[in-house]
């Protein structure tokens, strides 16, 4: 009876409101995760239809099915949708749904951030797809190389749709990355030390880290290219000191890690599902962690292998070629660990296992052609042919789609609480597997026979005709397979019989709950003593449901979950998470207003949305915290822990550290661009440099020192003054600098100054917020977490602003 | 946090070496170091080789330092990533030995 009452009380606190209001305001991780998954599948279907149109066009020579302009939009949209609107959001959704459950938590660290990411993804993706329906879809290829994507060769809004739409969607990816990393580091079940984390969490920790450091170069590149298109700042125009190669560097600095960002979550699913199917413990847990970390870093040193034919010196090509071959080693370590696990167990040929076998075959083949393409002489021959298209599909479909299909069948009973009704999934597998190999194996051959990628038609007599027809037939077989998969899922949701809990006999915590999962996941939280909690405590789920774990209480209407020490897993404090809110959707709507205004060329209107975003951010932060000290809370089992607003170092602090890390990465990419153009681009040195002033950097440095010192003393007004001095110094530099439209030097200098102004301005806003909160009674010696977070942002603003001011006058000093 | 830093230390060593040597390569080619002949080869190759040797020594020292604890799965993972940093630094820059520098 007590357990039932606890269930009712927790449901009242955690539930999503009914009706449309609930849809718009929900911040629950299960809701948001499922929405991401469904939307990503819808985008996958759209991308798939585009692929069918491409294959229809290429099925026969001299096809008149679509013209070149439409064809350009088809292949650009197919690639962009699959990469940005399907693959990344799909694993984000799966992770958002699963991760708290696997970690033994009730939600993610920043529920409203997840919801904001969802709305940004939905709005950004919708803009891109609507542009396609209007006939103005991006058409310069999914990696949008200038000068083709520049104003001269793409005068319409096609490229703007890509640049603004994708950047809008990338806000969602950055939100997810910070959310996932902090949740893994801080929101685990007590006792879940790092070496007891489920292997999926290790994969996602590495993935989130890669996203935090991998996406900023793309975001920077997109901003620079959009600014060039909108305002004529010549970052990529060689006539004015720019270089199109800078875009390629920035794009592939993101683009190659992106392949592993997509692969690692799928490999995490493989490492989770495969031991269950093999009825064995995962072999080489430590070796796999080492391989994940090696991949996470090495994958950042390969980007130039996408640029082997751009005229880069041979020695540099050699560095990237060697690194590209090297990255196969940690991938192979994982493959051998999986094979060893299968060997040591008693594998069951259930449906998820069938898809894992498909993954093994297709992904290993893709990896081998990857090693071929890592060799410079071979790449020079195969570059921009259908061979490359075939390779990337083997890697991405093998390394992501097959594992995701396995994951869908493995975790669907968790989502629906139901069993499959018919054996349609097996038929779907064979159609997809045979269709895929028919399509893309043939494309290896057409590529080796010299067929370029991205051509809308080809003549007879090239030896490509029969192979292309077979590829097209294979493509349509795949489409039938995916249609069957969809039917299978719909049947399971609608007609499947309710099944017992944990149908696979899995050992991870997500199965220690009723399915479908309640809104709060666990009525009480587990204490973990083993990497596979359900193997040592098979009745754990029942005991947690009876309220025998930690935080078995519903008090004050608070959404409570445990925050732990990230290494030892010892309980640290109780996080009080925010409830359902209008803030995520309204913030996303304001951001959408900004992006749409830019897209429409309303450059005077677009900035008006930014104060609205800042005001919503203020409201967002204002709803955190508490007016009075409440002291330690009873967490059960003898633990008395402070609530998050009385904790010394909150999840918000960690989130801020990661957000600033992402920002610093963007700035580093900007500095790389600055140095790259100085060193490589034609038409340098520039006609005029910024005057070698001493006073301006001195003003910025003095402001920075004032801000750093006084923020520590609690003198917020003085700290605000310091940040204002930085803004003034940088504005003065911009004022005296040559016009940014005249040369890439001036454009890059203006971008650097803008970075400093933005961060000093943000620091001013946060300092003003802290001052207002102190006046409103939100702060006390116990409740000082916000002040620490504000200091992080303020110090970063000070350091960035002073550095930018000094950097901008250095060339003038040296000249 | 310390464990995560130790797990990352080896690959970070490689990443630092990569940025240093690739950056030096770009600067050297831009300033024509490859056209300056010195005893033992051109200035570009000598500078890059010196940087490589320094990075190898640093990543080797780091790998040895990280190899002390082998008793736990994470300790062994730290050992493996430490040696990965050294091995990657060794393999990635082998082209220094044979390939023309700025052609």
């Amino acid at each position: 009876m007590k357990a039932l009452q606890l269930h009712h009380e927790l449901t009242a606190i955690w539930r999503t409101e009914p009706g449309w209001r609930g849809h718009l305001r929900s911040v629950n991780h299960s809701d948001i995760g499922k929405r991401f998954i469904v939307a990503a599948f819808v985008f996958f279907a759209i991308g798939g239809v585009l692929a069918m149109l491409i294959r229809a066009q290429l099925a026969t020579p001299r096809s008149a099915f679509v013209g070149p302009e439409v064809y350009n939009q088809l292949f650009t949209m197919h690639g962009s949708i699959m990469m940005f609107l399907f693959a990344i959001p799909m694993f984000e959704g799966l992770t958002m749904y699963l991760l708290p459950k696997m970690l033994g938590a009730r939600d993610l660290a920043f529920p409203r951030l997840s919801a904001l990411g969802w709305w940004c993804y939905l709005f950004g993706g919708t803009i891109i797809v609507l542009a396609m329906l209007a006939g103005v879809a991006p058409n310069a290829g999914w990696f949008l190389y200038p000068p083709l994507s520049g104003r001269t060769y793409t005068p319409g809004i096609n490229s703007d749709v890509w640049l603004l739409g994708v950047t809008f969607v990338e806000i969602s990816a950055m939100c997810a990355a910070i959310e996932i990393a902090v949740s893994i580091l801080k929101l685990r079940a007590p006792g879940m030390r790092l070496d007891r984390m489920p292997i999926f969490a290790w994969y996602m920790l590495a993935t989130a880290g890669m996203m935090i450091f991998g996406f900023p170069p793309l975001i920077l590149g997109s901003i620079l290219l959009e600014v060039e298109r909108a305002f004529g700042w010549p970052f990529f125009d060689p006539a004015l000191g720019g270089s199109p190669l800078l875009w390629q560097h920035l794009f592939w600095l993101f683009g190659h890690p992106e392949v592993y960002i997509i692969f690692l979550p799928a490999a995490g699913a493989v490492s989770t599902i495969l031991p269950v199917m093999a009825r064995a413990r995962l072999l080489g847990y430590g070796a796999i962690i080492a391989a994940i970390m090696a991949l996470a870093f090495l994958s950042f040193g390969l980007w130039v292998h996408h640029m082997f034919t751009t005229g880069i010196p041979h020695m540099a090509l050699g560095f990237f070629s060697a690194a590209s071959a090297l990255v196969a080693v940690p991938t192979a370590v994982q493959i051998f660990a999986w094979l060893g696990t299968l060997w040591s167990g008693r594998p069951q040929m259930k449906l998820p296992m069938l898809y894992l076998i498909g993954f093994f075959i297709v992904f290993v083949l893709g990896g081998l052609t990857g090693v071929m393409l890592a060799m410079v002489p071979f790449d020079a021959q195969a570059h921009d042919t259908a061979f490359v298209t075939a390779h990337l599909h083997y890697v991405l479909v093998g390394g992501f789609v097959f594992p995701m299909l396995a994951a869908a069948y493995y975790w669907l009973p968790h989502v629906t609480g139901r069993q499959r009704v018919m054996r349609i999934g097996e038929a779907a597998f064979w159609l997809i597997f045979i269709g895929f190999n028919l399509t893309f194996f043939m494309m290896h051959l057409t590529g080796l026979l010299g067929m370029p990628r991205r051509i809308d038609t080809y003549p007879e007599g090239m030896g490509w005709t029969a192979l292309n027809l077979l590829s097209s037939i294979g493509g349509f077989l795949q489409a039938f397979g995916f249609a069957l998969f969809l039917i299978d899922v719909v049947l399971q949701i609608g007609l499947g019989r309710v099944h017992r809990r944990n149908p696979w006999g899995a050992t991870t915590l997500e199965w220690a709950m009723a399915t479908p999962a309640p809104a709060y996941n666990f009525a009480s939280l587990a204490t973990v003593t083993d990497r596979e909690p359900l193997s040592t405590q098979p009745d754990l789920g029942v005991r947690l449901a009876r309220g025998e774990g930690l935080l078995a209480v519903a008090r004050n209407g608070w959404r409570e979950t445990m925050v732990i020490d990230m290494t030892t897993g010892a309980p640290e404090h109780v996080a009080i998470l925010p409830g359902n809110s209008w803030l995520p959707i309204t913030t996303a709507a304001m951001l959408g207003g900004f992006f749409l205004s830019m897209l429409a060329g309303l450059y005077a209107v677009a900035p008006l949305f930014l104060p609205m975003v800042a005001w919503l951010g203020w409201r967002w932060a204002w709803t955190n915290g508490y007016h009075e000290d409440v002291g330690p809370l009873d967490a059960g089992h003898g633990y008395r822990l402070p609530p998050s607003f009385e904790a010394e170092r909150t999840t918000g602090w960690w989130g801020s550290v990661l957000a600033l890390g992402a920002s610093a990465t963007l700035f580093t990419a900007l500095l790389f661009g600055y140095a790259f153009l100085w060193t490589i681009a034609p038409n340098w040195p520039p006609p005029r440099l910024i005057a070698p002033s001493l006073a301006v950097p001195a003003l910025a440095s003095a402001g920075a020192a004032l801000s750093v010192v006084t923020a520590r003393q609690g003198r917020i007004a003085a700290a605000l003054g310091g940040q204002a001095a930085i803004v003034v110094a940088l504005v003065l530099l911009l004022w005296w600098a040559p016009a940014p439209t005249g040369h890439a030097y001036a454009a890059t200098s203006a971008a650097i100054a803008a970075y400093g102004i933005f961060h000093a301005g943000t620091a001013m806003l946060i300092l003003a917020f802290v001052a207002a909160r102190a006046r409103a009674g939100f702060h006390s010696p116990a409740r000082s977490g916000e002040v620490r977070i504000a200091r992080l942002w303020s110090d970063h603003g000070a350091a960035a602003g002073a550095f930018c001011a000094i950097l901008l006058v250095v060339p003038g000093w040296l000249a | 946090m310390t464990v995560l830093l130790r797990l990352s230390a080896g690959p970070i060593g490689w990443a630092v070496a990569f940025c240093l040597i690739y950056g030096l390569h770009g600067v050297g080619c831009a300033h024509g170091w490859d056209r300056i002949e010195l005893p033992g080869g051109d200035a570009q190759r000598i500078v890059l080789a010196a940087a490589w040797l320094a990075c190898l020594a640093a990543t080797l020292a780091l790998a040895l330092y990280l190899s002390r604890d082998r008793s736990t799965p994470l300790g062994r993972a730290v050992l493996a990533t430490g040696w990965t940093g050294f091995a990657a630094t060794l393999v990635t820059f082998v082209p220094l030995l044979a390939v023309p520098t700025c052609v």
Side-chain angles (χ1 to χ4, degrees):
Chain A
M1 189 59 201
K2 193 183 156 204
L4 198 60
Q5 187 184 345
L6 180 63
H7 166 78
H8 287 311
E9 288 174 0
L10 286 172
T11 302
I13 292 172
W14 289 83
R15 76 190 178 101
T16 298
E17 299 140 296
W20 280 106
R21 192 180 160 84
H23 282 291
L24 300 178
R25 283 168 44 86
S26 175
V27 297
N28 180 277
H29 74 101
S30 294
D31 288 348
I32 303 294
K34 284 188 278 189
R35 287 180 197 179
F36 263 103
I37 292 170
V38 170
F41 193 82
V42 170
F43 283 117
F44 176 74
I46 295 170
V49 169
L50 298 178
M52 293 304 96
L53 296 177
I54 292 170
R55 284 314 327 167
Q57 170 72 9
L58 295 179
T60 53
R62 300 194 189 284
S63 170
F65 181 59
V66 293
E69 172 51 31
V70 172
Y71 186 79
N72 289 346
Q73 293 190 22
L74 290 180
F75 71 71
T76 301
M77 285 297 288
H78 169 71
S80 304
I81 285 176
M82 291 305 196
M83 296 301 272
F84 297 109
L85 302 183
F86 162 63
I88 299 168
M90 178 59 87
F91 78 69
E92 285 171 7
L94 182 72
T95 308
M96 283 180 185
Y97 177 82
L98 276 181
L99 198 58
K101 300 175 176 73
M102 278 188 168
L103 297 176
R106 285 183 174 144
D107 207 323
L108 292 161
F110 312 112
R112 291 179 300 185
L113 199 62
S114 312
L116 172 65
W118 153 249
W119 292 113
C120 287
Y121 163 54
L122 184 69
F123 294 164
T126 305
I127 289 172
I128 295 173
V129 171
L130 287 180
M132 183 172 67
L133 294 177
V136 290
N139 55 2
W142 82 271
F143 33 74
L144 215 74
Y145 282 170
L148 179 62
S149 58
R151 186 61 82 189
T152 309
Y153 299 103
T154 309
I157 64 165
N158 310 59
S159 295
D160 303 309
V161 169
W162 192 100
L163 293 165
L164 294 165
V166 167
T167 304
F168 197 5
V169 172
E170 292 326 308
I171 294 174
S172 143
M174 295 310 296
C175 291
I178 292 169
E179 175 85 288
I180 289 167
V182 176
S183 300
I184 293 171
L185 292 175
K186 298 301 290 181
L187 257 60
R188 307 195 299 267
M192 189 183 276
R193 302 183 318 227
L194 280 174
D195 60 353
R196 289 177 186 158
M197 280 207 309
I199 195 71
F200 185 77
W202 275 106
Y203 277 100
M204 287 317 304
L205 183 60
T207 305
M210 291 175 72
M211 290 166 79
I212 287 167
F213 297 109
F215 277 81
L218 172 70
I219 294 172
L220 173 73
S222 300
I223 293 170
L224 298 186
L225 186 50
E226 181 56 28
V227 168
E228 177 174 293
R229 287 179 53 85
F231 307 115
W233 296 19
F235 299 104
F236 308 106
D237 178 1
L240 293 171
S243 170
L245 276 187
L246 174 60
W247 168 265
Q248 294 197 28
H249 278 293
L250 293 175
F251 184 89
W252 291 117
L253 261 168
F254 146 82
H256 200 81
E258 159 79 348
V259 174
Y260 293 89
I261 286 169
I262 290 172
F263 167 64
L264 282 177
V270 174
S271 288
T272 306
I273 300 168
L274 188 130
V276 178
M277 295 294 119
R279 290 177 283 188
R281 268 178 96 94
L282 179 66
L283 201 73
Y285 179 82
I288 290 181
I289 292 171
I292 295 168
M293 296 304 284
L295 270 179
F297 282 88
L298 291 177
S299 63
F300 278 87
L302 323 179
W303 80 91
V304 165
H305 78 212
H306 297 270
M307 303 164 61
F308 274 166
T309 59
T310 56
I312 289 170
H314 289 177
M315 181 177 282
L317 297 188
F319 299 160
F320 286 96
S321 177
S324 302
L326 200 62
V327 82
V329 177
T331 312
V333 168
Q334 292 171 83
I335 300 272
F336 285 116
W338 292 326
L339 292 175
T341 304
L342 283 175
W343 190 263
S344 67
R346 292 172 293 121
Q348 312 170 87
M349 190 48 79
K350 294 188 174 172
L351 189 52
M353 190 66 215
L354 195 58
Y355 281 93
L356 290 186
I357 289 173
F359 150 76
F360 272 111
I361 295 169
V362 174
F363 181 70
V364 169
L365 286 172
L368 292 176
T369 52
V371 176
M372 291 165 74
L373 285 167
M375 302 301 119
V376 178
F378 182 84
D379 184 82
Q381 295 299 314
H383 184 78
D384 264 348
T385 68
F387 187 92
V388 176
T389 319
H391 154 71
L392 76 90
H393 280 86
Y394 264 79
V395 171
L396 292 174
V397 175
F400 186 74
V401 175
F402 276 97
M404 283 297 110
L405 290 167
Y409 279 114
Y410 180 75
W411 277 299
L412 207 55
H414 191 288
V415 178
T416 63
R418 294 170 184 274
Q419 292 174 322
R420 286 203 298 140
V421 287
M422 287 191 287
R423 295 175 66 84
I424 298 177
E426 282 79 355
F429 167 79
W430 287 111
L431 280 171
I432 294 169
F433 184 76
I434 294 169
F436 174 83
N437 282 290
L438 191 58
T439 309
F440 293 103
F441 187 79
M442 298 306 151
M443 285 178 71
H444 285 113
L445 303 180
T446 44
L448 289 175
L449 289 171
M451 180 173 169
R453 61 196 296 202
R454 298 177 168 179
I455 52 168
D456 65 302
T457 188
Y458 54 91
E460 300 97 338
M462 301 295 290
W464 308 338
T465 306
L467 294 170
N468 268 304
L469 183 60
L470 286 172
S471 278
S472 296
I473 292 169
F476 281 91
L477 281 180
Q478 270 185 91
F480 292 136
F482 283 112
L484 280 187
F485 166 77
L486 180 62
I487 291 168
D488 201 16
V489 170
V490 170
L491 286 176
Q492 178 170 341
I493 293 169
L495 302 174
R497 277 187 304 158
V498 174
H499 67 76
R500 65 186 166 85
R501 188 186 284 196
N502 194 5
W504 308 109
T507 55
T508 38
L509 275 178
E510 79 272 24
W511 298 102
M513 63 177 63
T515 51
Y520 50 87
N521 287 346
F522 303 98
S524 61
L525 303 186
T527 300
V528 169
T529 54
D530 187 83
R531 199 185 306 147
E532 298 183 359
L534 292 190
S535 66
T536 47
Q537 309 175 67
D539 62 338
L540 183 63
V542 177
R543 288 197 284 110
L544 295 179
R546 284 204 298 252
E548 293 175 15
L550 296 163
L551 288 180
V553 62
R555 65 187 141 207
N556 305 335
W558 286 346
R559 296 187 174 194
E560 296 182 6
T561 194
M562 193 73 84
V563 179
I564 54 139
D565 176 89
M566 67 172 70
T567 307
T568 64
E572 220 173 50
H573 64 265
V574 178
I576 315 291
L577 300 176
N580 299 327
S581 167
W582 289 108
L583 285 166
I585 189 170
T586 45
T587 307
M590 289 302 118
L591 286 167
F594 172 79
F595 284 107
L596 278 174
S597 305
M598 288 292 294
L599 191 57
L602 303 172
Y603 302 128
V605 175
L608 301 178
F609 287 96
L610 298 181
M612 292 298 295
V613 173
W615 181 77
L616 287 165
W618 183 291
R619 288 294 314 150
W620 188 301
W622 195 271
T623 53
N624 295 329
Y626 211 59
H627 272 96
E628 59 190 58
D629 292 349
V630 296
L633 303 170
D634 180 7
H637 295 202
Y639 285 111
R640 291 191 62 76
L641 303 169
S644 46
F645 45 79
E646 291 178 14
E648 199 167 300
R649 191 154 285 179
T650 61
T651 49
W653 190 89
W654 287 103
S656 293
V657 167
L658 295 179
L660 290 172
S663 171
T665 308
L666 184 140
F667 186 58
T668 308
L670 182 57
L671 293 182
F672 164 77
Y674 188 57
F676 176 83
L677 294 177
W678 269 104
T679 323
I680 305 291
N683 294 314
W684 283 69
R688 187 163 77 83
L689 296 171
I690 293 174
S693 156
L694 204 61
V696 172
L699 174 65
S701 303
L706 178 70
S707 178
V708 169
V709 171
T710 53
R712 271 158 185 70
Q713 297 167 343
R715 293 161 56 205
I716 302 298
L720 268 167
Q723 298 287 347
I726 295 170
V727 173
V728 169
L730 289 168
V731 169
L732 280 175
L733 275 179
L734 271 181
W735 188 262
W736 293 331
T741 49
H743 193 273
Y745 159 77
T748 320
S749 299
I752 290 170
Y755 179 88
I757 291 169
F758 175 78
H759 277 280
T762 306
M764 289 174 72
L765 188 68
I766 290 174
L767 288 167
F769 175 81
V770 167
R773 293 278 282 187
R775 272 200 305 279
F778 280 98
H779 295 167
S780 73
R783 286 172 285 125
S784 58
E786 281 177 8
V787 179
R788 288 193 188 85
I789 294 173
R791 213 150 58 205
L792 268 180
W793 288 88
S794 172
D795 288 354
H796 178 80
F803 181 79
C804 291
I806 294 168
L807 179 71
L808 290 176
V809 296
V810 163
W813 287 343
L814 296 177
Chain B
M1 191 64 184
T2 320
V3 178
L4 292 175
L5 285 176
R6 284 165 58 211
L7 266 172
S8 312
I12 287 175
W14 166 81
V16 170
F18 198 97
C19 293
L20 176 72
I21 295 174
Y22 183 52
L24 276 175
H25 176 264
V27 171
C29 287
H31 289 89
W33 295 352
D34 57 315
R35 295 191 296 275
I36 304 170
E37 283 301 323
L38 295 174
D42 63 79
Q44 168 85 329
R45 196 180 298 274
I46 288 171
V47 167
L48 293 178
W52 185 29
L53 285 174
C55 292
L56 279 174
T59 49
L60 178 63
L62 190 61
L64 291 170
Y65 173 75
L66 294 171
S67 303
R68 294 164 305 161
D69 172 24
R70 303 174 188 199
S71 58
T72 62
L74 279 187
R76 290 189 289 275
V78 167
L79 179 146
T81 54
W83 284 100
T84 299
F86 171 71
T89 307
L90 181 70
V91 172
T92 306
F93 303 108
V94 163
L96 264 171
L97 299 174
V99 182
T101 50
C102 296
V103 178

